[in-house]
Amino acid sequence: MTTINATLAHIPPPIPNLSDVAAELRADRVTDGRCPHCATQLYETVRKGILRKKKTQPLSIAGHVVRGQCVRCLNGDDDAAAVALAAIAEPTAGDSLPAAMATPILSSPVMQLDTQYIGNFNNYGERHGEGELVWSNEDRYKGTFWNGVREGEGTLNFADGSEYVGNWKDNKMHGQGTRRFPNGNVYTGNYREGKRSGNGRCYYANGDMYVGEWGNDQMSGFGRYYYNNGQCFEGFFWEGKRSGMGKYQLTDGRVDIYRYESDSRIGEGVRW
């Protein structure tokens, strides 16, 4: 028995699989809210509110971390740390980190963001001030940024030849602007969170024109629609269709007054 024990004592322990060790290390770092490759702290867990609930939120450290994204790995200083940071979702109010952090995707930094930026930054490394942003599909924005998002005045030229010139808020068309569509239509007026909303004027490629109220990117409210044959409708619209009372003026001067529902006349009307 003594001989057997002595023999077992001299048997070396199994050599751990380096890939498994590296994977376990990365997983531990992600659990702690750190970059899985360089261990830079990216997220922190704090307690907020009256109930002191835990909330995971991204960090911003000048020159090192931008909203939970590792600047060092993003710039490709460490070839092994080419993580798809652009895929990381915003943290939720739960205790765990975003799922995208748990399964990093290896790719080149250029493929991660699909953008190129030339312009000013703030102290946290976020786009701020005047700049130009170009996407891989050749869409191009030139204008003002505020803390990493398009905000203020700017022009977005789309790869299909269309464009938007006007105001932005939180990366969306918001405020006064002019949008030239690929089909030739041109809209000038108010936007709200990326959609036509409020008063605006649209020139259609076929020669028609609408002037009036918009909602949820469609004609909604009171407006006047001028047809390319010289006739005109004045009345109310709902979700892009005539709805309610309206006046239709013919080219010979006669006027029809009808009630409309889903663009169709309902009941009897009056003509004079």
Side-chain angles (χ1 to χ4, degrees):
M1 181 65 68
T2 303
T3 304
I4 295 176
N5 290 338
T7 303
L8 294 175
H10 287 85
I11 297 177
I15 299 175
N17 188 302
L18 295 182
S19 297
D20 293 340
V21 173
E24 184 177 351
L25 177 61
R26 288 195 295 268
D28 290 340
R29 289 175 174 176
V30 169
T31 302
D32 294 336
R34 295 179 291 163
C35 175
H37 295 280
C38 69
T40 300
Q41 193 71 39
L42 305 179
Y43 287 80
E44 66 176 352
T45 301
V46 297
R47 293 185 179 272
K48 290 187 174 182
I50 298 177
L51 301 178
R52 309 300 292 168
K53 290 185 177 181
K54 288 185 178 180
K55 180 178 181 180
T56 302
Q57 62 184 23
L59 295 173
S60 288
I61 304 173
H64 298 280
V65 180
V66 178
R67 292 185 178 179
Q69 299 184 6
C70 181
V71 174
R72 176 190 177 192
C73 298
L74 184 64
N75 293 334
D77 294 338
D78 185 349
D79 293 336
V83 183
L85 295 172
I88 297 177
E90 287 294 327
T92 62
D95 296 339
S96 59
L97 292 173
M101 281 290 292
T103 55
I105 304 172
L106 298 180
S107 64
S108 66
V110 175
M111 292 302 294
Q112 293 165 12
L113 295 181
D114 291 327
T115 59
Q116 292 183 349
Y117 175 73
I118 300 176
N120 299 320
F121 294 87
N122 60 17
N123 292 334
Y124 296 103
E126 300 169 323
R127 305 182 190 105
H128 192 83
E130 294 296 318
E132 184 174 9
L133 185 65
V134 182
W135 286 265
S136 59
N137 66 348
E138 298 185 357
D139 288 351
R140 182 185 301 268
Y141 171 82
K142 187 174 183 180
T144 305
F145 292 83
W146 184 268
N147 292 338
V149 299
R150 300 188 297 276
E151 191 148 331
E153 295 185 357
T155 299
L156 179 58
N157 296 109
F158 297 90
D160 58 14
S162 60
E163 71 171 3
Y164 171 80
V165 181
N167 294 317
W168 295 79
K169 182 178 180 181
D170 196 22
N171 278 337
K172 296 178 181 179
M173 297 175 283
H174 191 91
Q176 288 295 119
T178 297
R179 175 82 163 93
R180 293 176 173 84
F181 295 89
N183 60 4
N185 296 346
V186 179
Y187 171 84
T188 299
N190 196 66
Y191 275 84
R192 183 178 178 84
E193 295 184 351
K195 297 181 179 181
R196 290 171 288 186
S197 181
N199 292 316
R201 179 188 301 259
C202 188
Y203 301 90
Y204 295 93
N206 66 350
D208 292 353
M209 180 180 69
Y210 171 78
V211 181
E213 296 177 312
W214 295 75
N216 197 30
D217 221 27
Q218 301 181 86
M219 297 179 292
S220 288
F222 181 80
R224 295 181 178 88
Y225 194 100
Y226 300 90
Y227 296 89
N228 57 16
N229 61 4
Q231 299 178 355
C232 172
F233 172 82
E234 177 181 307
F236 291 90
F237 293 80
W238 176 252
E239 295 183 346
K241 298 179 180 180
R242 291 171 293 183
S243 181
M245 296 301 298
K247 180 176 67 175
Y248 196 94
Q249 184 169 344
L250 306 175
T251 54
D252 59 7
R254 291 180 298 168
V255 176
D256 292 342
I257 298 179
Y258 279 88
R259 186 171 67 88
Y260 289 81
E261 185 175 308
S262 297
D263 234 15
S264 299
R265 292 179 175 179
I266 302 298
E268 297 181 354
V270 177
R271 168 177 288 183
W272 76 80

